[in-house]
């Protein structure tokens, strides 16, 4: 009973710490996005609230709390309130299956897994919760009783469905390599530098493009396209309801980065992990692993921000065309390529480096064929219009 009580308390503290880190990262992502935007556009950026504008997120929070909480008279009141809460809830629940570290030794043969819940269907949990996230946007747009909000909600729903298919297909190749749906097992397979990015370069590119679309980030931010839809699905929202929508987007960015680090970049693995484990013990190695995973996730948050101020927004037909006619066929090709490399290396007792070589050669051949086909189509169109 004492061991169970100790483990429960430790797990509760761990969940609280991860929750606080997630909220803190989301809050200060708004600050760093402004800093990065100012740097790329040669502007000053936030510099009023505290030294270097470091208190800007607190000023934003005060502003959100102090603004008038407006509910349109012709809206569905309860759904209007529930929608942003649902977006926030689903954004936070995704992190439950992300293994932020290995294990901590609490003494008396009590070990704490640095993971919210270790289920054997962790990837399905991620996709299930992500799929539910679109309901927060869809319900919010519909309940607002505003045509611009409704159009933004419909765009978000169709966009998420389109890109979840390609994302799911890209994950199949990871499952083939690891042989498990558990996120913990996927990380354990990648230990000692055998990161999946070496074996799945095409799968990673597909996944990160789909992550941009799932998070409604530029160049896939059509659901909140201000040039066409004023503000999109959250046009009628104000105060902390609007804050929940904006906050959930930044939480999704951080969690998406953590999931990408888990699936493709070894999770909590880092160079010298075995040395630290032997020299300083399990706890130090595990805590450094937590730092490594959070660092990888923050790098992807930076990539999200970098792309926002680099690429222009797609037209909606381009967005849907890329999802259905571009990424889905590429995902299917990646599954076939992964199966072929496993057939000719793993079953044939080939080396890991042979698997890596065949994976990259397959991607290179695909790029050559695609470029040749695109050039041929371009010449045909040019001749037709001549």
């Amino acid at each position: 009973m004492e061991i169970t009580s100790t483990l429960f308390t430790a797990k509760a503290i761990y969940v609280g710490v991860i929750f606080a880190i997630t909220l803190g990262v989301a809050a200060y992502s708004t600050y760093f996005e402004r800093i990065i935007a100012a740097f790329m556009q040669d502007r000053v950026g936030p510099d009023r609230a505290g030294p270097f504008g470091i208190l800007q997120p607190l000023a934003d929070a005060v502003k959100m709390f102090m603004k008038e909480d407006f509910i349109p008279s012709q809206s569905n009141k309860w759904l209007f309130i529930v929608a942003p809460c649902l977006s926030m809830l689903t954004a936070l629940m995704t992190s439950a299956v992300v293994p932020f570290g290995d294990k901590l030794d609490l003494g008396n043969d009590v070990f704490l897994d640095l993971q919210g819940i270790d289920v054997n269907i962790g990837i399905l949990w991620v996709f299930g919760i992500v799929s539910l996230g679109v309901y927060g946007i869809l319900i919010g747009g519909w309940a607002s009783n505003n045509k611009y909000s409704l159009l933004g909600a419909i765009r978000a729903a169709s966009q998420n469905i389109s890109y979840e298919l390609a994302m799911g297909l890209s994950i199949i190749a990871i499952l083939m390599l690891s042989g498990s749906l558990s996120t913990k097992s996927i990380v354990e397979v990648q230990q000692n530098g055998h990161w999946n990015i070496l074996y799945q370069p095409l799968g990673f590119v597909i996944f990160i493009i789909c992550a941009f679309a799932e998070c409604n980030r530029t160049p896939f931010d059509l659901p909140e396209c201000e040039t066409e839809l004023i503000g999109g699905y959250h046009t009628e929202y104000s105060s902390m309801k609007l804050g929940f929508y904006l906050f959930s987007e930044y939480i999704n960015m951080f969690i998406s980065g953590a999931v990408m680090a888990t699936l493709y970049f070894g999770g909590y693995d880092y160079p010298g992990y075995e040395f630290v484990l032997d020299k300083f013990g399990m706890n130090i190695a595990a805590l450094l692993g937590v730092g490594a995973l959070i660092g990888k996730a923050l790098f992807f948050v930076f990539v999200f921000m970098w792309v926002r101020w680099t690429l222009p927004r797609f037209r909606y037909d381009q967005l849907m065309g890329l999802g259905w006619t571009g990424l889905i066929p590429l995902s299917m090709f990646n599954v076939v390529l992964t199966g072929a490399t496993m057939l000719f290396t793993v079953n044939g007792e080939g080396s890991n480096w042979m698997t890596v070589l065949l994976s990259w050669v397959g991607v290179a051949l695909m790029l050559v064929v695609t470029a040749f086909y695109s050039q041929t189509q371009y010449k045909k169109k040019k001749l037709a219009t001549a």
Side-chain angles (χ1 to χ4, degrees):
M1 178 63 88
E2 183 179 350
I3 293 177
T4 303
S5 177
T6 302
L7 195 58
F8 178 81
T9 303
K11 181 67 79 171
I13 294 173
Y14 163 76
V15 171
V17 169
I18 294 300
F19 179 73
I21 290 174
T22 303
L23 294 183
V25 168
Y28 272 89
S29 291
T30 62
Y31 169 74
F32 286 109
E33 176 138 46
R34 293 169 181 173
I35 291 291
I36 293 169
F39 174 76
M40 291 189 173
Q41 297 177 343
D42 197 20
R43 295 188 286 107
V44 176
D47 65 342
R48 299 289 181 180
F52 306 106
I54 199 71
L55 299 180
Q56 187 63 47
L58 298 180
D60 291 339
V62 172
K63 179 186 72 174
M64 287 293 182
F65 277 111
M66 298 299 291
K67 287 185 73 173
E68 179 185 1
D69 187 12
F70 175 78
I71 299 178
S73 59
Q74 300 301 315
S75 66
N76 188 315
K77 180 179 178 180
W78 295 111
L79 291 181
F80 189 83
I81 295 172
V82 166
C85 301
L86 182 60
S87 287
M88 191 73 171
L89 179 64
T90 53
L92 290 169
M93 286 177 64
T94 313
S95 63
V97 295
V98 175
F100 282 88
D102 194 0
K103 291 181 179 179
L104 284 181
D105 185 0
L106 304 180
N108 298 323
D109 292 328
V110 179
F111 297 92
L112 172 66
D113 277 326
L114 296 179
Q115 184 178 8
I117 51 173
D118 184 11
V119 291
N120 57 1
I121 54 168
I123 291 298
L124 295 182
W125 170 280
V126 171
F127 276 88
I129 298 300
V130 168
S131 299
L132 290 175
V134 72
Y135 283 101
I137 297 175
L138 192 59
I139 292 172
W142 182 83
S144 297
N145 195 28
N146 180 307
K147 63 180 180 180
Y148 296 109
S149 299
L150 181 59
L151 286 172
I154 293 172
R155 283 184 174 189
S158 57
Q159 176 176 311
N160 285 23
I161 291 170
S162 303
Y163 284 83
E164 278 173 9
L165 291 172
M167 182 181 282
L169 287 172
S170 68
I171 292 297
I172 290 176
I174 295 289
L175 304 183
M176 292 168 65
L177 290 173
S178 62
S180 174
L181 288 166
S182 168
T183 51
K184 185 81 169 181
S185 299
I186 292 173
V187 171
E188 289 173 348
V189 169
Q190 300 177 73
Q191 296 301 295
N192 300 319
H194 297 291
W195 295 359
N196 281 331
I197 184 61
L198 299 174
Y199 308 96
Q200 289 293 307
L202 179 59
F204 169 70
V205 171
I206 294 170
F207 192 93
I208 193 171
I209 292 173
C210 294
F212 274 95
E214 291 290 319
C215 294
N216 295 328
R217 296 287 299 184
T218 307
F220 303 100
D221 60 339
L222 275 299
E224 47 195 81
C225 178
E226 67 279 356
T227 55
E228 303 165 20
L229 304 179
I230 306 175
Y233 61 89
H234 54 60
T235 297
E236 298 290 350
Y237 281 90
S238 63
S239 189
M240 276 311 295
K241 295 187 185 69
L242 175 62
F244 272 19
Y245 271 129
L246 302 180
F247 215 59
S248 64
E249 179 179 310
Y250 285 99
I251 292 174
N252 279 327
M253 286 168 54
F254 176 66
I255 300 302
S256 295
V259 171
M260 283 188 281
T262 298
L263 296 178
Y264 293 97
F265 288 86
Y268 50 78
D269 185 41
Y270 55 90
Y273 180 85
E274 294 294 333
F275 172 79
V276 174
L277 183 63
D278 295 337
K279 192 77 173 177
F280 301 101
M282 178 187 295
N283 289 350
I284 299 296
L287 292 175
L288 287 178
V290 173
L293 179 66
I294 292 176
K296 295 171 187 176
L298 291 178
F299 170 76
F300 285 116
V301 171
F302 166 73
V303 171
F304 278 108
M305 298 175 181
W306 181 15
V307 170
R308 176 177 180 179
W309 302 106
T310 306
L311 297 179
R313 179 183 293 131
F314 286 173
R315 291 198 320 266
Y316 197 69
D317 61 311
Q318 294 174 327
L319 179 143
M320 297 302 289
L322 176 63
W324 288 100
T325 64
L327 295 182
I328 291 178
L330 284 177
S331 301
M332 297 174 69
F333 169 79
N334 186 55
V335 172
V336 174
L337 177 62
T338 303
T341 55
M342 292 179 66
L343 178 65
F344 291 114
T345 58
V346 177
N347 293 342
E349 298 181 357
S351 66
N352 286 323
W353 294 114
M354 183 63 70
T355 307
V356 173
L357 179 62
L358 287 177
S359 299
W360 285 85
V361 167
V363 173
L365 288 175
M366 184 271 299
L367 291 175
V368 170
V369 171
T370 303
F372 177 77
Y373 176 76
S374 300
Q375 188 69 19
T376 304
Q377 293 297 109
Y378 174 75
K379 289 180 178 178
K380 285 182 179 180
K381 289 181 179 180
K382 194 172 182 180
L383 289 173
T385 56

